DNA sequence: TTGTGTTTTATTGCCTCC
DNA sequence: GGAGGCAATAAAACACAA
């Protein structure tokens, strides 16, 4: 009689992960990748109650935390001293410090990421504002040029304005919204806000 | 109670340094 | 070559919603 096995989400994840690492990665030619092969866990020992995983007591953790605060690395003498003090195996102390360093490093990286992200966000926002300002000023420049053309006498006056002192490239400075037939600065503000929002959405999409 | 996600403890394999 | 560090991961322990 074979009982149908139900595969939980967790099992599925583990299975997938072990398949990926053991099968896929171990097939990669050695030397071309730095991905280590999936190890095999010695399951027999875990069954014995003696080697079962034990959580450290609050006092033990507190003491270890205190020591970690003083010095994150653990030289041999200190390890043995802490172990006897806490009634633990020196190896357990070493493992605890190793794991604690890993957690500390993760936290540092997370904080650094948040710091950089907020810096980056404010730079992007600033860029949007500056782009808006550039477009606004270009609009005003076009208006001023138009007025000058009108003042210097009708439709032919434009030729007079386009003298050597005013470069012909001015035409290419026409604001984008005029080219697109849009309604001035309000639309431009909208475009920039739109781009910025899309940008933020992209960041969140990539989990940033 | 149970399924699921998270945290903690422990192991393995590789790398570096002395 | 071995001691110690680190990254990756396993697995137990725990938290918690449903």
């Amino acid at each position: 009689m074979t009982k149908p096995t139900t595969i939980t989400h967790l099992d599925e994840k583990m299975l997938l992960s072990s398949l990926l690492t053991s099968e896929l990665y171990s097939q990669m030619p050695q030397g071309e990748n730095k991905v280590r092969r999936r190890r095999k866990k010695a399951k027999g020992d875990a069954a014995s109650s003696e080697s079962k995983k034990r959580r450290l007591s609050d006092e033990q953790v507190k003491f270890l935390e205190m020591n970690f605060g003083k010095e994150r690395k653990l030289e041999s003498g200190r390890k043995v001293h802490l172990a006897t003090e806490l009634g633990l195996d020196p190896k357990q102390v070493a493992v605890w410090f190793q794991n604690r360093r890993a957690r500390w490093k993760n936290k540092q990286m997370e904080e650094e990421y948040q710091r950089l992200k907020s810096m980056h966000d404010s730079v992007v926002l600033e860029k949007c504002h500056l782009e808006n300002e550039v477009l606004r000023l270009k609009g005003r420049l076009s208006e001023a040029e138009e007025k000058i053309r009108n003042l210097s006498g009708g439709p032919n006056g434009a030729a007079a304005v386009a003298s050597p002192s005013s470069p012909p490239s001015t035409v290419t400075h026409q604001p984008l919204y005029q080219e697109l037939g849009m309604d001035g600065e309000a639309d431009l503000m909208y475009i920039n806000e739109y781009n910025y929002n899309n940008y933020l959405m992209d960041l969140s999409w990539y989990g940033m």
Side-chain angles (χ1 to χ4, degrees):
Chain A
M1 283 280 204
T2 50
K3 211 170 141 190
T5 49
T6 52
I7 298 176
T8 64
H9 180 58
L10 198 64
D11 292 336
E12 223 172 304
K13 265 173 73 180
M14 284 172 160
L15 191 66
L16 195 66
S17 137
S18 59
L19 277 175
L20 277 173
T21 45
S22 65
E23 294 297 321
L24 184 67
Y25 289 168
S26 62
Q27 283 170 16
M28 290 179 177
Q30 287 296 319
E32 281 188 23
N33 68 93
K34 294 277 179 186
V35 180
R36 59 205 72 205
R37 276 180 311 232
R38 159 67 98 249
R39 65 198 150 83
K40 281 213 172 89
K41 198 97 169 180
K43 270 212 123 182
D45 309 338
S48 70
S49 62
E50 203 53 49
S51 68
K52 260 206 161 183
K53 199 177 281 187
R54 288 273 167 78
R55 288 227 161 181
L56 305 182
S57 71
D58 289 350
E59 281 72 28
Q60 285 171 325
V61 171
K62 206 171 161 185
F63 193 70
L64 288 167
E65 284 286 358
M66 213 174 70
N67 276 274
F68 183 80
K70 286 181 197 160
E71 175 66 56
R72 285 190 291 278
K73 293 261 173 153
L74 189 66
E75 70 279 10
S76 189
R78 192 159 152 252
K79 176 172 69 183
V80 175
H81 178 252
L82 281 175
T84 45
E85 196 91 348
L86 294 165
L88 294 170
D89 185 28
K91 195 179 174 187
Q92 277 181 293
V93 176
V95 164
W96 189 90
F97 265 76
Q98 184 55 58
N99 287 321
R100 187 65 184 81
R101 277 196 296 272
R103 287 198 294 272
W104 179 80
K105 192 181 170 189
N106 274 339
K107 194 162 175 262
Q108 293 293 109
M109 286 203 300
E110 204 166 303
E111 283 171 9
E112 179 68 0
Y113 166 74
Q114 288 303 332
R115 195 182 64 78
L116 291 172
K117 186 175 180 289
S118 70
M119 272 175 63
H120 181 258
D121 284 354
S122 58
V123 166
V124 169
L125 196 60
E126 172 76 3
K127 178 173 172 275
C128 285
H129 287 145
L130 289 173
E131 280 172 358
N132 275 334
E133 182 66 5
V134 166
L135 290 168
R136 193 181 66 79
L137 291 173
K138 280 181 180 175
R140 286 186 62 183
L141 180 62
S142 297
E143 281 171 20
E145 284 174 344
E146 183 64 28
K147 272 186 190 166
I148 291 170
R149 271 197 294 275
N150 291 340
L151 285 174
S152 49
N156 294 335
V161 172
S163 62
S165 64
S166 59
S169 63
T170 316
V171 178
T172 62
H173 288 170
Q174 288 290 328
L176 182 65
Y177 64 79
Q178 287 183 1
E179 287 173 27
L180 296 174
M182 296 183 77
D183 189 23
E185 288 175 40
D187 282 330
L188 287 168
M189 295 287 279
Y190 170 77
I191 288 170
N192 271 339
E193 286 300 312
Y194 177 79
N195 286 339
Y196 180 65
N197 287 334
N198 276 354
Y199 171 79
L200 290 180
M201 280 171 70
D202 284 347
L203 285 183
S204 64
W205 173 258
Y206 290 112
M208 298 177 77

